[in-house]
Amino acid sequence: MAEQDDLQRKVDAVARQAPNLAWAAGLRDDETTTVLVTDLVGGWIPPTVKLPPGVTLLAPAQRRHGMSVVDLLGAVIAAATHQPNGYVTDAGPDDPIPGAGDRARYGQHVDELGPTLIDAAGANSRLPRIVQTVARAAARKSGVAENEIELFRAVVANIENKVLSAYPHHAPVDVADWMLLAAIDALIEGSEEPGRYHLAWHQAVTPGRHAA
């Protein structure tokens, strides 16, 4: 049916970018809302994945560890999935354009984005000090030196590789670190809305924090 084909095209659009992750898209019973999920700590979508148009993302929240992508979808009337490293067709002329739906990450509220980001980086003893340095500069919009960005992005690459190489047995704390780094990186690029998305997720899944 047309709805099923549309869901599969949306799933394939993200699976081509991250084929080693599980993905699912489901149509809610209002027949207009399409939810897209992966199973990295409850539905967070990594910054490396560009979103197809017409999708809605799960709100940041602490969810039961080990939930499958189908579980995360909740009640839907149709669904499509991708299993890790499963077959993905090549993109066709009618397939959705990745990145056209990136505004789905917009709309998360974080109190005092800059100070909150600085505090979160300062409270994280697992990450190198360069992360705190870059977080302060990016949050205060004082400019980040190119060599500092290079060092920072090496940390990002290391955490990303650590999560993906361990997947699906990745440690939630490592994903939380990736979320924080993604928020900082978004502010380096001057993109506050994605920064709020990633930081809201970090707050939701970090011990001592509670989702709104």
Side-chain angles (χ1 to χ4, degrees):
M1 71 185 194
E3 292 90 347
Q4 188 72 40
D5 291 343
D6 179 65
L7 291 171
Q8 193 63 59
R9 283 194 293 267
K10 287 179 167 64
V11 167
D12 289 348
V14 290
R16 290 186 194 101
Q17 301 172 66
N20 53 329
L21 298 178
W23 292 96
L27 183 65
R28 297 281 195 224
D29 59 7
D30 61 8
E31 299 186 6
T32 60
T33 303
T34 296
V35 180
L36 177 72
V37 302
T38 187
D39 57 352
L40 285 174
V41 189
W44 175 69
I45 308 293
T48 48
V49 176
K50 297 183 182 299
L51 302 174
V55 297
T56 297
L57 307 183
L58 292 182
Q62 182 75 263
R63 296 183 173 92
R64 179 170 51 83
H65 184 61
M67 291 181 72
S68 72
V69 285
V70 174
D71 293 336
L72 287 166
L73 282 180
V76 293
I77 59 174
T81 62
H82 167 81
Q83 295 305 313
N85 299 312
Y87 174 73
V88 187
T89 61
D90 292 335
D94 297 327
D95 281 315
I97 300 172
D102 282 351
R103 288 182 67 87
R105 288 192 177 99
Y106 289 20
Q108 296 299 327
H109 176 74
V110 175
D111 289 331
E112 298 185 306
L113 176 61
T116 300
L117 189 67
I118 292 170
D119 288 348
N124 191 315
S125 60
R126 294 179 302 279
L127 296 172
R129 185 169 295 277
I130 187 63
V131 172
Q132 297 177 30
T133 300
V134 170
R136 285 194 296 269
R140 292 170 179 164
K141 301 180 181 179
S142 57
V144 186
E146 287 298 323
N147 66 314
E148 291 177 336
I149 293 175
E150 185 177 344
L151 290 170
F152 170 78
R153 287 189 171 149
V155 177
V156 177
N158 181 60
I159 292 294
E160 177 182 349
N161 291 335
K162 186 176 183 181
V163 171
L164 296 181
S165 63
Y167 178 88
H169 306 295
H170 51 286
V173 68
D174 290 333
V175 183
D177 287 347
W178 191 5
M179 293 167 178
L180 175 60
L181 295 171
I184 297 168
D185 210 1
L187 263 63
I188 291 173
E189 296 296 324
S191 302
E192 289 194 359
E193 287 287 355
R196 287 189 182 93
Y197 171 79
H198 298 303
L199 186 55
W201 266 103
H202 175 76
Q203 288 181 305
V205 304
T206 299
R209 296 282 189 175
H210 298 283

